[in-house]
Amino acid sequence: MTETLLKIEHLVKKFDDNLILDDINLEVKKGEVIVVIGPSGCGKSTLLRCINALEPIQGGTISLDGEPIDDKSRSLSVLREKIGMVFQSYELFPHLSVLNNVMLAPLKVQKRKKEEVKEEALTLLERVGLKEKAGSFPRQLSGGQKQRVAIVRALCMHPELLLFDEVTAALDPEMVREVLDVILKLAAQGRTMIIVTHEMQFAQAVADRILFLDGGSIIESAPPEEFFEHPKTDRAKQFLNTFTFEAVKTPHKTIKEEED
Amino acid sequence: MDWEFIVQHIPLYQEAAWLTVRIGLLGVVFSILIGLVCAAIQYFRVPVLRRITGIYIELSRNTPLLIQLFFIYYGLPKIGIQTDPELCGIAGLAFLGGSYMAEAFRSGLEAVSPIQMESALSLGMNRRQTMGYVVLPQAASISVPAFIANVIFLLKETSVFSAISLMDLMFTAKDLIGLYYKTTESLVLLVVFYLLILLPVSVCGTLLERRLRYAGFGS
Ligand SMILES: Nc1ncnc2c1ncn2[C@@H]1O[C@H](COP(=O)(O)OP(=O)(O)OP(=O)(O)O)[C@@H](O)[C@H]1O
Ligand SMILES: [Mg+2]
């Protein structure tokens, strides 16, 4: 449990002259679940994209299993195989059936045997309740179903690390639960994950550690009980306040609007 | 209507139609090749070549085929290149069609969102696999309607070939009208033969589009 899987040291990310991530240091142990929260535009997505080398970085190092990740590395696709990523907008391949979406990379990238991959794909789909959708096309699925397929597609590559970027943000409220349940199960299996989310209750339930990101830096890093009960910094307190405030304020607002 | 005249002249039209089809098909094939190369150059933003293809596309799209044909037919011999009218026809059609095809393919490629590519990359695919399994199949199917419209457009444009003394359908019709004053009959034959060429293309195109729609696209 104490083995380090991902290590980020002095990471600097700029877009042109804008400093987006400023000296990020982070160590993720095997089996650890990290939840990253912070205000919009603080660089959460950018952090995940840097870890997957979808963005070039301007300073520092990121390494997985001791191997450095950088966008010039020849073994980049080998490293990316070990990192599964799930996007807010699902990004299933619309021209392929659910089963072929899941099987494509294991077959073409890992050159595994078709029967074996198919069996695993179907087992994984069954676990998220979508075995009977194997032959469907993405456009025939609901948002929640698409997102569960996207998770299965990442899992079928046997990744060592899973990255989730606001995977429920585009979903209707009634579908959020089915996706979060899948992620909770993965956490229970001991998967290593970095999750960006705005679902605070879920964050509290799933995280081993919360990272609070603001202005491109990690402001707080603490276990969820500690972070949510006793945030150390004013910025974190303010951020958490906006959530409780909104929760109280919204109903009033709608009632008022109805009266008008 | 002089049916005897019509029946008598069908073979003449057949020959002309064959010429139109031959030039049309070869012209379309070369258009596709030029279009693919130009679209790739534009999509991958190849320096220098990108500028050149940009100029070519504007030039080709904004001048009439007739003028392009004149340049090739009368212009090339002036700089010492011998030209055969049939080759000129094919070259003219390819010059015109190349830019239309390039635009169809490029817009297909650009309609595939960059994040689709990222999702393929994040599964460990390399650039080639990402293009081959994810981007190109989607881009191709998105391009199909514009592609079919272009094929039909190009086949219709073949009607100006008589201007460079190619004995195509249009030429034949004009010739017969000049010789026998059988305007109606000659024009009926002309329309019928153009329809015989274009309708099958159109029907195939519609079937192809429908098939692609049912194959799970457009999500
Ligand atoms: N490709 C880009 N070019 C320039 N600036 C960018 C680019 N992508 C992101 N940024 C900027 O980087 C900053 C961080 O963006 P990022 O998407 O990482 O934020 P985020 O924390 O994920 O926000 P959200 O909660 O809204 O998703 C933002 O200010 C954004 O404007
Ligand atoms: Mg984001």
Side-chain angles (χ1 to χ4, degrees):
Chain A
M1 266 296 282
T2 48
E3 214 177 317
T4 298
L5 181 65
L6 180 80
K7 192 165 187 169
I8 301 179
E9 288 172 301
H10 306 296
L11 167 64
V12 174
K13 170 71 201 172
K14 292 178 191 167
F15 282 116
D16 303 318
D17 285 335
N18 298 330
L19 190 60
I20 305 297
L21 295 175
D22 181 12
D23 193 30
I24 300 280
N25 292 284
L26 174 66
E27 220 173 283
V28 182
K29 307 228 177 307
K30 279 214 169 107
E32 203 175 10
V33 177
I34 307 274
V35 171
V36 183
I37 61 176
S40 180
C42 70
K44 303 180 296 292
S45 301
T46 307
L47 176 63
L48 293 192
R49 293 166 56 81
C50 289
I51 294 173
N52 215 351
L54 290 174
E55 294 286 352
I57 60 177
Q58 280 71 44
T61 55
I62 305 175
S63 55
L64 186 78
D65 273 334
E67 261 187 276
I69 300 173
D70 69 83
D71 62 327
K72 284 167 225 76
S73 157
R74 283 196 164 271
S75 54
L76 189 59
S77 46
V78 180
L79 274 164
R80 282 203 185 116
E81 269 178 55
K82 299 188 193 171
I83 305 174
M85 179 142 179
V86 184
F87 298 83
Q88 179 179 333
S89 46
Y90 335 119
E91 300 308 322
L92 295 182
F93 306 132
H95 58 299
L96 298 177
S97 69
V98 165
L99 187 62
N100 285 332
N101 260 278
V102 177
M103 293 188 3
L104 181 65
L107 290 180
K108 304 297 180 187
V109 177
Q110 296 178 325
K111 315 263 189 248
R112 280 153 62 190
K113 284 228 178 60
K114 190 164 180 193
E115 296 75 49
E116 177 243 332
V117 174
K118 188 172 176 185
E119 201 185 308
E120 181 179 2
L122 289 172
T123 313
L124 287 171
L125 283 171
E126 189 169 23
R127 265 191 229 153
V128 298
L130 289 173
K131 193 179 179 185
E132 72 285 3
K133 297 285 182 191
S136 305
F137 280 88
R139 57 160 188 169
Q140 298 165 314
L141 304 182
S142 73
Q145 292 172 329
K146 278 191 237 188
Q147 200 56 292
R148 282 181 281 157
V149 173
I151 294 172
V152 165
R153 183 174 69 175
L155 286 177
C156 208
M157 292 293 286
H158 306 153
E160 292 176 24
L161 172 67
L162 283 165
L163 309 175
F164 293 89
D165 190 2
E166 297 194 39
V167 293
T168 58
L171 296 179
D172 291 336
E174 70 269 22
M175 291 172 191
V176 169
R177 187 59 201 252
E178 65 191 44
V179 172
L180 295 185
D181 277 342
V182 170
I183 302 175
L184 279 167
K185 269 191 216 157
L186 293 174
Q189 286 167 17
R191 297 245 178 207
T192 319
M193 303 193 275
I194 303 180
I195 302 169
V196 172
T197 184
H198 283 298
E199 305 278 340
M200 289 304 144
Q201 279 187 317
F202 168 67
Q204 206 156 358
V206 80
D208 292 317
R209 187 148 52 108
I210 303 275
L211 290 188
F212 176 64
L213 210 65
D214 195 6
S217 312
I218 297 176
I219 306 289
E220 289 198 34
S221 165
E225 312 78 44
E226 195 181 315
F227 176 79
F228 286 107
E229 300 303 323
H230 312 285
K232 285 202 258 327
T233 59
D234 285 343
R235 275 201 266 181
K237 275 178 209 159
Q238 238 169 27
F239 176 74
L240 289 174
N241 263 338
T242 54
F243 276 86
T244 41
F245 190 47
E246 267 168 18
V248 180
K249 190 174 147 192
T250 334
H252 280 295
K253 214 178 173 184
T254 46
I255 290 166
K256 243 190 181 173
E257 274 164 10
E258 272 165 19
E259 283 170 0
D260 282 350
Chain B
M1 187 83 71
D2 184 346
W3 291 104
E4 202 180 321
F5 176 89
I6 289 184
V7 173
Q8 225 170 33
H9 288 90
I10 283 178
L12 206 62
Y13 273 87
Q14 269 175 344
E15 210 171 305
W18 171 231
L19 180 81
T20 298
V21 167
R22 204 163 55 218
I23 297 180
L25 271 185
L26 285 169
V28 165
V29 167
F30 284 111
S31 298
I32 294 170
L33 294 178
I34 296 172
L36 285 175
V37 171
C38 292
I41 288 171
Q42 299 258 314
Y43 182 70
F44 293 110
R45 301 177 200 286
V46 182
V48 188
L49 288 180
R50 188 179 167 210
R51 278 278 164 75
I52 298 172
T53 54
I55 293 169
Y56 155 67
I57 288 171
E58 289 309 313
L59 194 67
S60 147
R61 284 174 71 97
N62 295 307
T63 50
L65 176 60
L66 191 58
I67 291 170
Q68 296 172 4
L69 284 174
F70 279 176
F71 259 87
I72 297 171
Y73 188 63
Y74 297 110
L76 288 185
K78 292 227 165 84
I79 55 169
I81 299 171
Q82 275 312 310
T83 45
D84 158 79
E86 206 172 314
L87 282 181
C88 283
I90 295 168
L93 206 57
F95 183 83
L96 175 73
S99 63
Y100 279 83
M101 291 300 182
E103 292 293 276
F105 298 149
R106 189 189 53 82
S107 58
L109 282 168
E110 277 169 9
V112 181
S113 70
I115 189 166
Q116 274 278 308
M117 211 184 288
E118 290 179 351
S119 122
L121 290 174
S122 75
L123 283 164
M125 289 189 217
N126 59 31
R127 297 246 151 225
R128 196 177 45 75
Q129 291 166 328
T130 301
M131 284 308 290
Y133 299 125
V134 176
V135 178
L136 287 180
Q138 293 185 55
S141 85
I142 296 166
S143 303
V144 162
F147 170 78
I148 291 163
N150 285 348
V151 172
I152 292 170
F153 160 73
L154 289 173
L155 290 177
K156 282 199 263 193
E157 286 292 297
T158 57
S159 60
V160 304
F161 282 159
S162 57
I164 55 169
S165 70
L166 273 168
M167 283 183 269
D168 70 340
L169 284 171
M170 198 67 187
F171 184 96
T172 307
K174 278 197 264 186
D175 206 32
L176 289 184
I177 293 170
L179 281 174
Y180 305 109
Y181 300 105
K182 298 268 187 199
T183 315
T184 316
E185 289 79 1
S186 305
L187 289 180
V188 165
L189 276 166
L190 178 65
V191 169
V192 167
F193 270 88
Y194 258 112
L195 282 178
L196 280 177
I197 295 173
L198 285 168
L199 272 181
V201 177
S202 185
V203 168
C204 287
T206 311
L207 288 179
L208 185 63
E209 274 179 55
R210 198 173 301 163
R211 236 191 96 124
L212 283 174
R213 259 207 299 283
Y214 285 130
F217 278 88
S219 66

